[in-house]
Amino acid sequence: MAKAKTKKKATNQDQGVGKHIRTFWKLFGALILFVVLVFLLASWGVFGSLPDETSLENPEKNLATQIIGSDGITLGTFYKENRTPVKYEDLPDHLVNALIATEDVRFYDHSGIDAKGTVRAFAFLGSKGGASTISQQLAKLFFTEQVSRNKFQRGLQKIKEWVIATRLERRYTKEEIITMYFNEYDFLNQAVGIQSAANIYFTKAPEDLTTVEAATLVGMFKNSSLYNPLKNPEGVRNRRNVVLAQMAKYDYITTEVKDSLQALDLIIRFSPQGHNEGIATYFREYARAFMADWVEANPKSDGSNYDIYSDGLKIYTTIDSRMQQYAENAVDAHMANLQKEFHKQNEKNKTAPFRDITPEETNKILDASMQRSDRWREMKKQGKSEQEIRESFKKKTKMSIFSWSGDIDTLMTPLDSIRYYKGILQAALMSMDPRTGEVKAWVGGIDYKHFKYDMVKTGQRQIGSTFKPFVYATAIDQMHMSPCDTLPDTPYTIAQGKYGLLEPWTPKNSGKVSGKHLTLRAALAQSINTITARLIDRVGPEPVIELVSKMEMDTEDIPPVPSIALGTPDVTLYEMVGAYSTFANQGVYIKPTLIQRIEDKNGTVLYQNVPETRDVISDETAYVTLSLMEGVTQSGSGARLRHTWAGAASVYKNAVTGYPYGFTNPIAGKTGTTQNNSDGWFMGMVPNLATGVWVGGEDRATHFSSTAYGQGATMALPIWGIYMKNCYEDESLNISDSGFEKPSKISIATDCAKWKAENSGGEIPDEFDLD
């Protein structure tokens, strides 16, 4: 009886267990059917639309346009999102391995959904890791515009991401998915994609990242807002070490390597790529304007315009990033030093930063600046009265102002800030290869963030004595004059009525007249005005204007009067460098080139530059003019380039930055100084590089009181000297230190000592100055 009861009880228990097992499988089957149904419904778009085939085929969007230097370095980008795609082969193995080890160790074994990881995530409610695969994260980046905070809605989004992930897996290879993930992720601080992130955080290309740098960036995939290197360096270092531990766990690195790398400090070389920061900012703005015109004139095949902010174009330029950096460094070094001296000399100047003007003229300058300001325009748009606007300029407000030691946060009136900025000296540099027209460096100002006006191509200033070589070249070309020919350095007057003069014109030298006969070489070297006046009287102003016009100088506002010989015209630095390059290019003008070609994101060439050239003067005239200008750097106003000793004068100690320079190679050059020392110029050439520098105040009333400090040899020449020394030290640039190429046939004497000896029985009269 007892046995029967026991047997019956066991039977009931077996039946109960069987019932539970059947119930489990029914529930499990129902769950499977439910999951399948949910996926089917999601794939049919019941929970919201899914991306179509076109979107899956071309998921990458908002690709930045790259501005690429002649040495292959990216100078900057135009973007809505600063994203520049890379190819899989550009991703180093340790970068890919770090991603796999940390984010999706079974990436190569699943088809978009990691079943094992998903079960684990459900079983432990995510406490032992999530289940999101790289493919799912990519789907989220591409097609989930806003992650919902509602758990139910987020669940539906997750399901759609799973469906999209499986579709991505069917359409793309594993390598393509990894590449797209690296290209799409936002690493913050304007670094969208691995290319931008590597550049911005480590100033290098992705393929050059070290293992520890790769681990740092991969660590940000967990949450870039939390693991932001600028705001949470300790958290980023800890997360980096987690990535390194994962790499060791899955045998991508050894334990010894992991331990050594984890011990390293976090080193970030932050290099922002905003439109105000980085290298070649003024040139990049020129490139933006060039592209704005180009896209209007060159629509796509469907008639729409290219978008430089999202179409991923590549703009290949002539700018060499190394030379550009040397140029910017030279400008920074000298201008910071010069500004210090300028402030010092203005301490007792009651009209600072202006000189030689009346209070009424000062007020006129400040008033004009007020009316050109952004504040004035914005308040005018808001309907404010002129009185209200003017009153606002007298109220102190918080602002950040420029200084050479860094931006200063301060409290001052907008009117005072205008006066402050009027006292900041400006500078510009342009450097190009005269043989090809390729512009290698372009510095339009001292700081693009605060001073956006480009003084290379937009700003026109009086050019002073840098115009004289054009007068000499005309005399050589038309009259076959030689650097060894002599003219008297005595007062010279061009009569009233000649060339339309309303009164007699008698120019003065910056110093006294010597009363000697000087060779043309000595006259140009010493920048003698009386002899330049004699030359332009011999050839006439119009042939000189015709010459510079052929060199693409804008002559519309240059009057045909003798005074132009002394540099009264307003000309851009861009025009001056292009014109001077004609002499170094054997008399052939070549238009400065900045954009070499443009490609679309697929590498199709959309634009290819064709050099524009024009024969202007003979190679003999060009060579003889160069010979004249070599005298400037041998014994004239540019001779300090060759000094190897430190000058005793205070100007050398206080304002001639980088002195002495110690150049020994042939250099053709010319300094220029305008009236009241308002503008300082230096144009200098070697056979394969022509470089021009301008320095001055925004207004001509901002200037040094003495020529010792205000001349081109002090204000501009040091920038040229520092820049060229750096270029020569970088042997990879191959800057020429040889002489200029001499024409095969030359009939004009350039060796004056030899020529005079041959034409005076071996004796040179004392009254001749042959330097």
Side-chain angles (χ1 to χ4, degrees), residues 27-79:
L27 290 173
F28 183 76
L31 178 63
I32 296 297
L33 288 174
F34 176 75
V35 170
V36 171
L37 179 61
V38 167
F39 269 82
L40 282 173
L41 292 173
S43 64
W44 293 338
V46 173
F47 303 136
S49 60
L50 292 172
D52 57 22
E53 292 298 313
T54 301
S55 298
L56 288 173
E57 189 69 38
N58 299 287
E60 291 188 347
K61 54 190 177 181
N62 290 338
L63 300 180
T65 288
Q66 289 179 273
I67 309 166
I68 303 170
S70 61
D71 54 345
I73 300 299
T74 299
L75 304 174
T77 51
F78 300 135
Y79 57 84

Side-chain angles (χ1 to χ4, degrees), residues 304-315:
S304 63
N305 286 340
Y306 287 98
D307 188 336
I308 67 171
Y309 301 102
S310 62
D311 279 344
L313 303 177
K314 291 183 178 180
I315 307 169

Side-chain angles (χ1 to χ4, degrees), residues 226-280:
L226 176 61
Y227 298 109
N228 182 337
L230 302 187
K231 295 183 178 180
N232 183 17
E234 187 61 32
V236 171
R237 183 178 183 274
N238 293 337
R239 180 61 187 166
R240 177 203 71 184
N241 288 348
V242 170
V243 175
L244 292 169
Q246 288 294 104
M247 293 180 75
K249 178 180 178 181
Y250 294 106
D251 298 324
Y252 289 118
I253 58 175
T254 65
T255 301
E256 291 75 18
V257 170
K258 177 205 74 172
D259 292 340
S260 65
L261 295 181
Q262 285 183 332
L264 296 175
D265 292 333
L266 179 70
I267 299 177
I268 299 294
R269 299 177 182 86
F270 184 62
S271 177
Q273 290 186 350
H275 299 307
N276 287 336
E277 297 92 12
I279 194 172

Side-chain angles (χ1 to χ4, degrees), residues 239-488:
R239 180 61 187 166
R240 177 203 71 184
N241 288 348
V242 170
V243 175
L244 292 169
Q246 288 294 104
M247 293 180 75
K249 178 180 178 181
Y250 294 106
D251 298 324
Y252 289 118
I253 58 175
T254 65
T255 301
E256 291 75 18
V257 170
K258 177 205 74 172
D259 292 340
S260 65
L261 295 181
Q262 285 183 332
L264 296 175
D265 292 333
L266 179 70
I267 299 177
I268 299 294
R269 299 177 182 86
F270 184 62
S271 177
Q273 290 186 350
H275 299 307
N276 287 336
E277 297 92 12
I279 194 172
T281 46
Y282 290 90
F283 168 73
R284 279 153 44 195
E285 190 56 36
Y286 164 84
R288 189 202 306 275
F290 177 94
M291 291 303 297
D293 293 337
W294 183 85
V295 297
E296 285 294 326
N298 298 272
K300 298 179 183 178
S301 56
D302 63 3
S304 63
N305 286 340
Y306 287 98
D307 188 336
I308 67 171
Y309 301 102
S310 62
D311 279 344
L313 303 177
K314 291 183 178 180
I315 307 169
Y316 291 90
T317 75
T318 62
I319 299 293
D320 185 297
S321 69
R322 297 160 297 181
M323 298 174 75
Q324 179 68 31
Q325 192 64 65
Y326 298 149
E328 293 183 13
N329 290 347
V331 169
D332 290 350
H334 178 58
M335 294 309 295
N337 192 37
L338 192 68
Q339 189 67 52
K340 189 188 303 180
E341 180 63 25
F342 187 71
H343 282 324
K344 181 180 178 182
Q345 294 191 18
N346 268 315
E347 287 176 357
K348 296 181 180 180
N349 176 17
K350 295 181 180 180
T351 60
F354 311 117
R355 289 183 183 274
D356 307 322
I357 60 174
T358 64
E360 291 76 17
E361 289 171 321
T362 297
N363 291 334
K364 189 175 180 181
I365 290 173
L366 297 176
D367 190 71
S369 295
M370 275 198 300
Q371 296 189 45
R372 289 196 305 267
S373 69
D374 291 337
R375 170 183 288 269
W376 187 286
R377 277 194 298 272
E378 287 302 315
M379 294 187 73
K380 199 75 173 174
K381 284 181 183 178
Q382 296 169 12
K384 303 291 184 183
S385 67
E386 182 171 326
Q387 183 178 351
E388 289 176 306
I389 297 173
R390 289 186 180 278
E391 285 299 316
S392 76
F393 276 87
K394 300 174 184 177
K395 296 177 181 177
K396 287 188 175 182
T397 183
K398 290 182 180 179
M399 62 180 69
S400 179
I401 59 174
F402 168 83
S403 84
W404 280 109
S405 57
D407 287 0
I408 299 172
D409 293 326
T410 187
L411 187 69
M412 65 193 313
T413 70
L415 184 59
D416 284 341
S417 74
I418 290 174
R419 194 178 195 112
Y420 171 80
Y421 279 123
K422 291 293 184 183
I424 304 295
L425 296 174
Q426 302 296 318
L429 177 151
M430 177 174 150
S431 186
M432 71 175 264
D433 186 332
R435 305 164 305 174
T436 64
E438 295 180 0
V439 177
K440 295 300 180 182
W442 174 300
V443 185
I446 60 172
D447 185 280
Y448 184 75
K449 177 182 176 182
H450 293 280
F451 308 98
K452 288 186 165 52
Y453 194 71
D454 189 332
M455 289 302 298
V456 169
K457 200 168 192 296
T458 307
Q460 293 181 315
R461 296 298 289 251
Q462 279 192 346
I463 52 178
S465 293
T466 53
F467 193 81
K468 289 177 180 176
F470 303 118
V471 178
Y472 281 71
T474 305
I476 294 166
D477 191 51
Q478 290 193 356
M479 306 178 68
H480 218 61
M481 294 189 75
S482 162
C484 309
D485 287 334
T486 62
L487 289 173

Side-chain angles (χ1 to χ4, degrees), residues 320 322-323 326 433-435 440 665 686-690 723-738:
D320 185 297
R322 297 160 297 181
M323 298 174 75
Y326 298 149
D433 186 332
R435 305 164 305 174
K440 295 300 180 182
N665 57 293
V686 296
N688 64 349
L689 198 63
Y723 167 66
M724 290 299 292
K725 281 186 74 172
N726 286 331
C727 286
Y728 276 120
E729 287 170 2
D730 188 340
E731 295 181 0
S732 66
L733 296 175
N734 295 315
I735 304 302
S736 174
D737 60 1
S738 60

